[in-house]
């Protein structure tokens, strides 16, 4: 286990480093001038030159990269051009909102998708299962922005029972959570249905049934337990993706998370803010994946971590 952890941590650090370095280069190759975005359309050439010098944008790319690596080792990711404060602090201030939304969406997804997937597997190849499949395919096919707009129209405009945007109260969490959960519910429930159908057709289930084990125990204790590894992998992957910022949903609902922050950073060519956002979200996503890997032996004793495996 210690060897496995050391190797995975080394891989994670390398992944974060390569990710941030790639973003560093790509944002500078993209069209647009941060100095012009910062100073506005009426800025003179002298003002633009002064701003480029102030932010170090007048230096060669390799020199900028060297300075970036030096500051990265000390935890200094620069000052945000638009917020005029440390970029890392700006991202960390927004991150709790994204984590809250992600946890709520995953919790609703698991609470609804697992029972639905189990129900579908118990009624495989029936008209009821076909109807549920149609609904999940429809949920999987609807874009997030369309679902969000429809929910806003119904529950914030036609029947104004929920806030339309922001996070002034916990009720403001409902619409964006449901918007995200609809798509995740479709994906996870279909996965549970597939894995459970395969598990219920396995020989060990047939043997257990012949020995008088109840159908409830066969379903929830044996079949679902043996479907846990791919299920946890899918949920962990979806959660890590949500931590990277649900950009469309956050913009639609005016959610103050890192997704909407990224949009603003890209619009203003705020290099330090973009880099800080990528660093934080990539680190959290990799941490989630590491925790998922460490959970495998707990879910399935046949799984072993380390070099010997």
């Amino acid at each position: 286990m210690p060897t496995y952890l050391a190797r995975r941590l080394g891989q994670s650090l390398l992944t974060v480093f390569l990710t941030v370095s790639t973003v560093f280069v790509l944002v500078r190759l993209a069209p647009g001038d941060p100095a012009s975005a910062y100073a506005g359309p009426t800025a003179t050439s002298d003002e633009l030159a002064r701003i480029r010098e102030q932010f170090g944008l007048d230096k060669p790319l390799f020199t900028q990269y060297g300075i970036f690596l030096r500051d990265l080792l000390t935890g200094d990711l620069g000052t945000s051009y638009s917020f005029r404060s440390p970029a890392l602090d700006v991202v960390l201030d927004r991150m709790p909102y994204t984590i809250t939304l992600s946890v709520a969406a995953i919790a609703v997804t698991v609470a609804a998708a697992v029972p639905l997937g189990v129900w579908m597997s118990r009624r495989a190849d029936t008209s009821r299962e076909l109807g549920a499949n149609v609904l999940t395919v429809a949920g999987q096919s609807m874009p997030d922005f369309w679902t969000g707009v429809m929910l806003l129209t119904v529950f914030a405009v036609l029947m104004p029972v929920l806030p339309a945007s922001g996070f002034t109260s916990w009720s403001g969490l409902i619409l964006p959570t449901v918007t995200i959960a609809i798509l995740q519910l479709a994906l996870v429930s279909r996965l549970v249905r597939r894995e459970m159908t395969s598990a219920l057709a396995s020989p060990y289930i047939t043997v257990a049934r012949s020995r008088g084990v109840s159908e409830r125990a066969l379903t929830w204790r044996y079949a679902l337990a043996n479907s846990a590894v791919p299920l946890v992998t899918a949920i962990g992957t979806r959660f890590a993706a949500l931590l990277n910022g649900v950009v469309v949903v956050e913009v639609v609902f005016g959610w103050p998370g890192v997704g909407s922050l990224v949009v603003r950073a890209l619009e203003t060519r705020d290099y330090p803010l973009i880099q800080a956002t990528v660093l934080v979200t990539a680190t959290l996503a990799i941490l989630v994946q590491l925790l998922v890997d460490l959970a495998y032996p707990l879910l399935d004793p046949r799984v072993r971590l380390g070099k010997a495996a």
Side-chain angles (χ1 to χ4, degrees), residues 156-175:
V157 178
L158 299 179
M159 296 186 298
V161 294
L162 293 172
S165 64
F167 188 30
T168 56
S169 64
W170 286 105
S171 59
L173 183 63
I174 297 176
L175 290 182

Side-chain angles (χ1 to χ4, degrees), residues 168-305:
T168 56
S169 64
W170 286 105
S171 59
L173 183 63
I174 297 176
L175 290 182
T177 297
V178 173
T179 300
I180 298 171
I182 287 176
L183 174 59
Q184 310 305 322
L185 170 65
L187 295 171
V188 175
S189 63
R190 289 170 64 83
L191 171 67
V192 174
R193 187 263 185 199
R194 185 182 71 243
E195 296 295 331
M196 285 289 294
T197 301
S198 175
L200 290 171
S202 300
Y204 73 90
I205 293 292
T206 304
V207 172
R209 185 179 286 116
S210 67
R211 293 182 175 180
V213 179
S214 66
E215 290 298 320
R216 183 183 183 87
L218 289 175
T219 300
W220 295 98
R221 183 178 176 183
Y222 295 101
L224 185 59
N226 280 277
S227 305
V229 170
L231 176 59
V232 170
T233 301
I235 293 174
T237 302
R238 300 313 306 165
F239 183 58
L242 295 179
L243 288 176
N244 285 322
V246 192
V247 177
V248 175
V249 174
E250 290 190 2
V251 171
V252 169
F253 290 98
W255 191 260
V258 296
S260 54
L261 185 66
V262 169
V263 173
R264 177 171 178 177
L266 291 173
E267 289 175 347
T268 58
R269 301 295 187 273
D270 196 334
Y271 295 164
L273 192 56
I274 296 173
Q275 293 158 185
T277 302
V278 170
L279 176 64
V280 173
T281 56
T283 301
L284 287 176
I286 290 173
L287 178 61
V288 169
Q289 294 293 347
L290 178 60
L291 294 177
V292 169
D293 288 350
L294 295 177
Y296 286 162
L298 302 177
L299 300 172
D300 189 345
R302 296 170 296 179
V303 177
R304 293 292 181 267
L305 301 178

Side-chain angles (χ1 to χ4, degrees), residues 15 23 30 117 125 151 252:
T15 301
V23 170
D125 302 323
L151 291 176
V252 169

Side-chain angles (χ1 to χ4, degrees), residues 15-211:
T15 301
V16 172
F17 171 75
L18 293 176
T19 301
V20 175
S21 298
T22 301
V23 170
F24 177 91
V25 175
L26 291 180
V27 295
R28 284 162 176 77
L29 294 179
D33 183 11
S36 300
Y38 179 84
T42 60
T44 64
S45 57
D46 291 338
E47 290 175 338
L48 294 177
R50 179 181 56 80
I51 293 173
R52 293 190 187 99
E53 181 180 0
Q54 176 186 348
F55 294 146
L57 300 174
D58 58 332
K59 297 179 174 62
L61 182 61
F62 285 107
T63 303
Q64 294 183 44
Y65 183 63
I67 296 173
F68 167 73
L69 292 181
R70 181 198 65 194
D71 294 339
L72 181 62
L73 294 176
T74 63
D76 181 10
L77 296 179
T79 301
S80 170
Y81 304 157
S82 51
F83 288 90
R84 301 187 184 184
S85 60
L88 184 59
D89 292 346
V90 175
V91 176
L92 294 179
D93 286 342
R94 295 289 192 99
M95 202 65 214
Y97 294 99
T98 294
I99 293 176
T100 300
L101 180 58
S102 301
V103 171
I106 287 297
V108 171
T109 298
V110 172
V114 173
L116 177 60
V118 171
W119 181 87
M120 292 168 62
S121 68
R122 298 297 301 176
R123 292 159 180 79
D125 302 323
T126 65
S127 58
R128 291 183 178 181
E129 192 266 342
L130 177 61
N133 248 328
V134 171
L135 291 177
T136 56
V137 170
Q140 188 174 345
S141 304
M142 292 187 298
D144 285 346
F145 73 88
W146 186 87
T147 304
V149 170
M150 291 301 102
L151 291 176
L152 275 176
T153 302
V154 174
F155 295 104
V157 178
L158 299 179
M159 296 186 298
V161 294
L162 293 172
S165 64
F167 188 30
T168 56
S169 64
W170 286 105
S171 59
L173 183 63
I174 297 176
L175 290 182
T177 297
V178 173
T179 300
I180 298 171
I182 287 176
L183 174 59
Q184 310 305 322
L185 170 65
L187 295 171
V188 175
S189 63
R190 289 170 64 83
L191 171 67
V192 174
R193 187 263 185 199
R194 185 182 71 243
E195 296 295 331
M196 285 289 294
T197 301
S198 175
L200 290 171
S202 300
Y204 73 90
I205 293 292
T206 304
V207 172
R209 185 179 286 116
S210 67
R211 293 182 175 180

